[in-house]
Amino acid sequence: MRVCALIVTRNRKNLLEEVLQGLKHQKRPPEAILVVDNASTDGTSELLSRVFPEVHVLRLPENLGGAMGFSVGMRWAVERRFDWVWVMDDDTVPTSEALERLFVAAEHLKRENPAVLASRVLWVDGSLHPMNYPWPKPLPIWRYLRFRSMGFPPIRWAAYSSVLIATWALERYGFPCPEFFVRTDDLEHTGRILRHEKGFWVLNSIAIHKTPTKYTPASAHPERFFYEVRNRIWAAKGPAYSPLEKALLILHLLGSTLDYLRHTGWNKGWPIIKEGVKAGFTTAPDWKGCGAQVR
């Protein structure tokens, strides 16, 4: 099975170097590493050519967002007939056994034909990172408990932080929608795949998400919270989730919005929320353009 590791980066040269060193020292290394550079200006290009000449690099002409970077990178891997794409952020460092354990899980779960396998992502203090906790798929409960006892709880969606995605699933269900720019593109995309296919959280495959703080959506910068609001509404309007799941997405967004207002205050927070809601209901991604099956 051929694996392409995919990292999208933007002005995080030092962290990117840690990620790439982590990939180079995998017990089961990927067959190829692809970095999509979102027009970095911090010397990322020089680092890649000097220290990592074996890495494939796609340099975008301007910062087109993480969603575009992941979309371009996944299409690159599918065109070159890789079997899996191992997707991660440029601040997510995999432990040396991360990929090997994902493949051990894939072998154990062969009869399930998994489309998505997600690592357990920790913050630097060893606790679970709240931004990378997959949404479980608890029903039917007997099935969930059986796989949970094996160390592979079934999941409904996963973040792009050390997640293995089968390329056959990309060919069947499409790619991330570039219009999302940042935030929720992974929730929508993996949710779109796992509405029809099976995914699992591999608890003994570990990656470290080296964010400055153990942040949540509600603690985001105002520009990013705009995308959180707009993109959650887009996900709730799109083909990835059932009506009940869409209601849960909106309830979760409501909770994050109230938490965000508590952090920022009404005067600062409400204009961002209002713009996000307006954009979410009056615009939409090109679902067909990203390969989504829209019914």
Side-chain angles (χ1 to χ4, degrees):
M1 289 291 187
R2 297 175 65 241
V3 181
C4 175
L6 168 62
I7 306 100
V8 177
T9 192
R10 164 75 177 172
N11 286 341
R12 282 179 175 163
K13 181 178 70 172
N14 294 334
L15 281 168
L16 176 64
E17 183 171 8
E18 282 193 67
V19 176
L20 292 174
Q21 291 292 353
L23 292 175
K24 284 181 66 174
H25 292 94
Q26 289 294 301
K27 290 188 176 180
R28 194 288 185 199
E31 279 68 25
I33 300 171
L34 172 65
V35 172
V36 180
D37 182 7
N38 250 319
S40 294
T41 57
D42 65 345
T44 290
S45 294
E46 293 77 6
L47 168 75
L48 291 170
S49 59
R50 177 173 50 84
V51 183
F52 303 100
E54 74 282 5
V55 170
H56 302 275
V57 182
L58 295 177
R59 293 185 177 88
L60 301 183
E62 58 183 301
N63 180 17
L64 299 175
M68 174 64 87
F70 287 120
S71 180
V72 167
M74 290 181 198
R75 290 175 188 271
W76 186 93
V78 167
E79 288 168 1
R80 284 154 184 81
R81 311 310 302 169
F82 286 92
D83 300 294
W84 296 89
V85 186
W86 189 20
V87 185
M88 63 196 68
D89 291 319
D90 58 359
D91 56 357
T92 304
V93 182
T95 58
S96 62
E97 296 179 336
L99 183 57
E100 179 183 62
R101 289 177 173 175
L102 289 172
F103 267 95
V104 169
E107 183 63 27
H108 277 297
L109 297 164
K110 185 184 296 185
R111 295 178 68 177
E112 302 297 317
N113 193 28
V116 175
L117 294 167
S119 295
R120 186 156 57 105
V121 181
L122 310 178
W123 194 50
V124 294
D125 66 354
S127 62
L128 285 172
H129 200 299
M131 290 299 291
N132 306 119
Y133 194 95
W135 190 356
K137 189 174 183 180
L139 298 177
I141 188 65
W142 60 265
R143 180 178 182 276
Y144 178 84
L145 292 175
R146 177 165 67 92
F147 286 109
R148 178 68 177 81
S149 70
M150 298 166 59
F152 313 130
I155 56 174
R156 184 62 183 84
W157 72 272
Y160 287 157
S161 298
S162 188
V163 59
L164 201 61
I165 305 176
T167 53
W168 62 260
L170 297 175
E171 292 178 303
R172 189 173 298 173
Y173 301 106
F175 302 89
C177 290
E179 295 93 337
F180 276 70
F181 194 73
V182 294
R183 298 291 185 123
T184 315
D185 50 324
D186 46 8
L187 178 151
E188 189 283 323
H189 180 233
T190 59
R192 194 193 319 152
I193 295 170
L194 295 181
R195 186 169 187 182
H196 308 279
E197 306 296 341
K198 296 172 183 175
F200 299 89
W201 195 18
V202 182
L203 297 178
N204 65 355
S205 173
I206 307 295
I208 310 300
H209 199 173
K210 294 194 169 185
T211 56
T213 62
K214 198 162 64 172
Y215 69 95
T216 66
S219 56
H221 183 276
E223 179 187 6
R224 292 208 163 210
F225 198 73
F226 163 82
Y227 291 116
E228 186 74 30
V229 173
R230 185 197 68 177
N231 294 354
R232 286 266 176 165
I233 294 171
W234 277 359
K237 289 167 58 180
Y241 293 96
S242 69
L244 176 59
E245 290 168 337
K246 291 178 179 185
L248 292 174
L249 279 177
I250 295 300
L251 284 174
H252 186 272
L253 174 60
L254 181 59
S256 296
T257 300
L258 294 173
D259 201 17
Y260 180 74
L261 286 172
R262 194 176 79 247
H263 277 90
T264 62
W266 181 272
N267 290 337
K268 289 184 178 179
W270 177 243
I272 299 296
I273 294 165
K274 184 171 67 173
E275 287 302 308
V277 170
K278 179 181 177 182
F281 282 107
T282 59
T283 64
D286 179 8
W287 298 113
K288 290 185 179 179
C290 62
Q293 297 178 357
V294 182
R295 293 182 175 85

